């Protein structure tokens, strides 16, 4: 299952907090990428928050994987998870009238 994960910074987050865990965060994100869980990663243009595309069996698996990130563990960020499915609208192109 493809899952869109939108990062949301928590109110208690500070620049010092992010700095403290930045290297550990990058390492764990790399581990998740190498494991095939993180398929794509981006930052939003309008604010410094990540947008990830995950490949997981379920939302619970995605939540568990993201909970291993140091920024999540230290309550700097959270993720909104959105399950995705393939767009079915193209089949209309092949319906015989």
């Amino acid at each position: 299952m493809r899952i869109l994960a939108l990062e949301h910074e928590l109110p208690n987050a500070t620049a010092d907090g992010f700095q403290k865990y930045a290297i550990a965060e990058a390492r764990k994100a790399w581990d998740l990428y190498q494991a095939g869980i993180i398929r794509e990663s981006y930052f939003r243009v309008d604010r410094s928050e990540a947008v990830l595309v995950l490949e997981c069996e379920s939302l619970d698996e995605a939540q568990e994987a993201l909970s291993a990130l140091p920024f999540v563990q230290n309550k700097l960020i959270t993720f909104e998870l959105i399950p995705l499915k393939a767009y079915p609208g193209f089949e209309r192109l092949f319906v015989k009238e």
Side-chain angles (χ1 to χ4, degrees):
M1 168 188 294
R2 293 278 172 149
I3 299 166
L4 188 65
L6 303 176
E7 175 192 335
H8 298 294
E9 191 173 306
L10 294 173
N12 63 317
T14 64
D16 289 340
F18 285 111
Q19 183 69 27
K20 182 176 180 179
Y21 301 107
I23 292 173
E25 180 79 1
R27 277 193 185 113
K28 188 59 185 175
W30 174 248
D31 290 345
L32 294 173
Y33 180 81
Q34 289 297 303
I37 294 171
I38 294 178
R39 295 297 187 130
E40 300 175 49
S41 59
Y42 305 94
F43 266 102
R44 293 177 55 150
V45 172
D46 58 339
R47 57 183 182 249
S48 186
E49 292 183 344
V51 176
L52 307 175
V53 177
L54 308 176
E55 184 73 34
C56 295
E57 292 295 320
S58 65
L59 287 174
D60 288 339
E61 181 184 333
Q63 187 65 48
E64 183 179 336
L66 293 174
S67 71
L69 293 168
F71 288 171
V72 173
Q73 290 176 340
N74 290 282
K75 301 189 181 358
L76 300 171
I77 64 170
T78 190
F79 283 94
E80 174 185 357
L81 300 180
I82 304 167
L84 304 174
K85 65 179 184 176
Y87 174 68
F90 293 125
E91 67 187 32
R92 290 184 285 249
L93 297 173
F94 305 102
V95 173
K96 295 191 184 214
E97 296 180 21

